[in-house]
Amino acid sequence: MDLSNILYAYAEDRSQYFNAIAPPIMQTSNFAFRKVEDMSRAFEDEMSGYLYSRGINPTVDILRKKLAALDGAEDALVFNSGAAAIFASVLANVKSGYHILSVDNPYTWAKKMFDIILPRFGVKTTYIDGRSVENFRDAIRPNTALIYLESPNSWDYAMQDLEGLAALVKSINATRASESPSDKPSPQIITICDNSYCTPLYLQPARLGIDISLQSATKYIGGHSDVVAGVISGSHAMMKKIFDSEYLNIGSGIQPFNAWLLIRGLRTLPMRLQQISATTRTVIEFLKGHPKVEELLFPLDPSFPQFELARKQLSGACGLLTIVYRTEERAEIVRFCESLKHIMLAVSWGGHESLVIPRCAGIKPEHFDATIREHRMVRLYIGLETADYLIEDLRQAFT
Ligand SMILES: *Cc1c(COP(=O)(O)O)cnc(C)c1O
């Protein structure tokens, strides 16, 4: 489907709401029926119609359909946060005794789920360097049911060869399916990929054979730092499986007003990404020549260790980049961050405003060690400001 059609027309039946150009915020908790028979049908399959807004809601539906189309997937579910999207999609695909294989350093709250919550229910997670498909082949166990990916990672941009990995999983799943039934059959492996960094405009994991594509919609989809949300997409059967249990049971589906804000965000997504990408390139040129920048990490920069894979797998990269600050002193990094006048010190990214976050903010001063490269990492998010405006700010903060 044409991108313009997805963003500006698809799933919007304006004749249903007075031919209004902007869709209504259907701020209702419940929906009335005329016939008991219709109500019974909704009870049986809540995903098939409007019953109660913890399930399906018309404003959310518009968004859901657009996001699925953007991802090149059959269906999508939208949550009240990216963390909720992670939680529901992982929980739906594991049970006691199963093993999860995750890439190193996944998103903080994915890792907390794996390390703190799931072990209480007999689900164990191990981590591997996901930069080689061989590492997955070696680490998959008979009880591995889920592979958790994040490509690129949002700090060091480590990537996975999604196509190669999907092919490996497909062949393992085929072997498992053909094994003679035993009392402990190996589960079919499900793959989940956090695609927050790229958005579906620059990477569509579903098209490369990944089962569930996941994004924090808080970032680029929302785009204005005013809504927290998350999305997963995949086959209709997978989305229905998650909807019927975790989505309805956790009750963290997105609310109509936030869904409306995301539909609004989608209208300008390509232009925002284009602008941010161009500005980021210019800022990178400035940073690469600066004596305080020991190293710069950005997937589409030729110096990036996985540049070849990035060039093959991503059709673009936007505003997140990391510099390794050349210094012996934590205080110098702190001074740099606090001297920025326009670039704000804040978590998150994907909005209109440029941001900075030093790795050392999460490290106790007495534990800071300048010989460890990660400790000197400073992540920058380039927003919608002009390159000159941002470069001037960086220049004065460096000095
Ligand atoms: C922000 C983020 C999330 C979590 O999304 P929330 O909307 O904040 O819950 C997940 N993955 C990545 C890579 C993120 O940057």
Side-chain angles (χ1 to χ4, degrees):
M1 204 184 310
D2 190 87
L3 180 62
S4 291
N5 188 40
I6 297 173
L7 300 181
Y8 309 123
Y10 179 60
E12 294 178 81
D13 183 356
R14 298 189 167 100
S15 68
Q16 299 272 342
Y17 38 84
F18 312 105
N19 295 312
I21 300 293
I25 303 166
M26 215 53 94
Q27 193 73 23
T28 182
S29 56
N30 47 0
F31 299 84
F33 297 91
R34 281 197 173 280
K35 292 182 176 301
V36 171
E37 190 191 329
D38 294 339
M39 187 180 231
S40 301
R41 197 171 310 127
F43 284 159
E44 253 163 52
D45 179 6
E46 203 173 325
M47 206 176 183
S48 71
Y50 303 126
L51 169 73
Y52 188 56
S53 283
R54 175 153 41 73
I56 298 287
N57 168 283
T59 310
V60 176
D61 248 6
I62 295 173
L63 175 65
R64 222 180 96 213
K65 288 177 180 153
K66 284 182 188 289
L67 289 173
L70 263 186
D71 258 333
E74 281 174 18
D75 210 340
L77 292 174
V78 196
F79 294 81
N80 216 21
S81 72
I86 294 171
F87 201 87
S89 55
V90 169
L91 200 62
N93 287 294
V94 291
K95 64 180 186 187
S96 177
Y98 279 178
H99 169 245
I100 297 173
L101 188 55
S102 166
V103 290
D104 281 332
N105 307 313
Y107 181 69
T108 319
W109 292 96
K111 191 158 165 40
K112 288 198 193 225
M113 178 187 195
F114 298 150
D115 294 347
I116 298 169
I117 299 179
L118 291 181
R120 298 192 340 234
F121 302 95
V123 177
K124 190 174 159 45
T125 302
T126 55
Y127 299 93
I128 54 159
D129 177 348
R131 287 174 298 180
S132 126
V133 175
E134 283 308 305
N135 293 350
F136 287 95
R137 190 192 303 274
D138 296 343
I140 289 171
R141 304 175 182 179
N143 61 340
T144 302
L146 194 136
I147 294 184
Y148 189 85
L149 312 163
E150 185 178 327
S151 188
N153 173 286
S154 65
W155 262 92
D156 62 10
Y157 317 105
M159 296 179 58
Q160 298 96 56
D161 172 358
L162 298 181
E163 210 171 356
L165 179 64
L168 170 71
V169 170
K170 196 175 167 193
S171 83
I172 292 173
N173 280 343
T175 309
R176 287 184 177 185
S178 68
E179 273 165 4
S180 53
S182 65
D183 29 320
K184 262 199 167 176
S186 284
Q188 290 286 298
I189 300 170
I190 301 293
T191 48
I192 300 182
C193 181
D194 186 333
N195 189 35
S196 301
Y197 183 89
C198 279
T199 84
L201 258 50
Y202 292 158
L203 175 67
Q204 295 170 315
R207 293 202 196 279
L208 300 178
I210 299 301
D211 297 309
I212 300 174
S213 185
L214 184 155
Q215 281 178 84
S216 165
T218 310
K219 313 292 163 56
Y220 289 121
I221 307 280
H224 296 75
S225 303
D226 51 12
V227 57
V228 174
V231 55
I232 56 173
S233 70
S235 69
H236 178 68
M238 177 59 81
M239 294 304 110
K240 179 149 172 51
K241 168 177 149 171
I242 297 170
F243 177 87
D244 284 343
S245 61
E246 282 73 13
Y247 186 90
L248 286 174
N249 221 168
I250 299 172
S252 59
I254 195 168
Q255 292 297 297
F257 178 58
N258 281 355
W260 185 86
L261 284 173
L262 293 186
I263 295 168
R264 195 179 203 262
L266 281 177
R267 310 287 195 203
T268 56
L269 179 65
M271 300 79 192
R272 285 187 284 110
L273 293 195
Q274 231 167 39
Q275 169 81 13
I276 289 169
S277 297
T279 309
T280 302
R281 297 304 178 113
T282 313
V283 172
I284 284 175
E285 284 319 304
F286 164 76
L287 288 170
K288 280 177 85 174
H290 200 281
K292 279 290 160 197
V293 177
E294 182 179 295
E295 197 183 333
L296 184 141
L297 294 168
F298 183 71
L300 286 182
D301 190 82
S303 68
F304 187 67
Q306 292 180 288
F307 177 61
E308 280 312 315
L309 176 63
R311 205 159 57 158
K312 183 175 141 225
Q313 197 159 277
L314 320 180
S315 54
C318 325
L320 270 191
L321 64 105
T322 299
I323 58 172
V324 179
Y325 205 105
R326 180 174 283 131
T327 183
E328 305 280 304
E329 307 281 336
R330 182 182 187 273
E332 189 179 346
I333 298 176
V334 169
R335 207 157 52 235
F336 167 75
C337 294
E338 292 179 355
S339 301
L340 290 161
K341 292 195 173 105
H342 304 306
I343 301 174
M344 290 181 277
L345 188 58
V347 297
S348 198
W349 44 278
H352 51 83
E353 76 292 3
S354 292
L355 301 171
V356 65
I357 173 167
R359 191 61 161 227
C360 67
I363 301 166
K364 291 205 170 70
E366 60 272 28
H367 295 157
F368 179 84
D369 180 352
T371 63
I372 301 173
R373 175 177 160 271
E374 279 74 23
H375 287 198
R376 291 183 285 118
M377 281 182 172
V378 176
R379 191 181 77 180
L380 284 166
Y381 166 67
I382 305 301
L384 289 169
E385 306 92 335
T386 61
D388 287 350
Y389 183 77
L390 297 174
I391 289 171
E392 198 35 54
D393 197 19
L394 290 164
R395 195 194 310 277
Q396 64 81 25
F398 275 127
T399 51

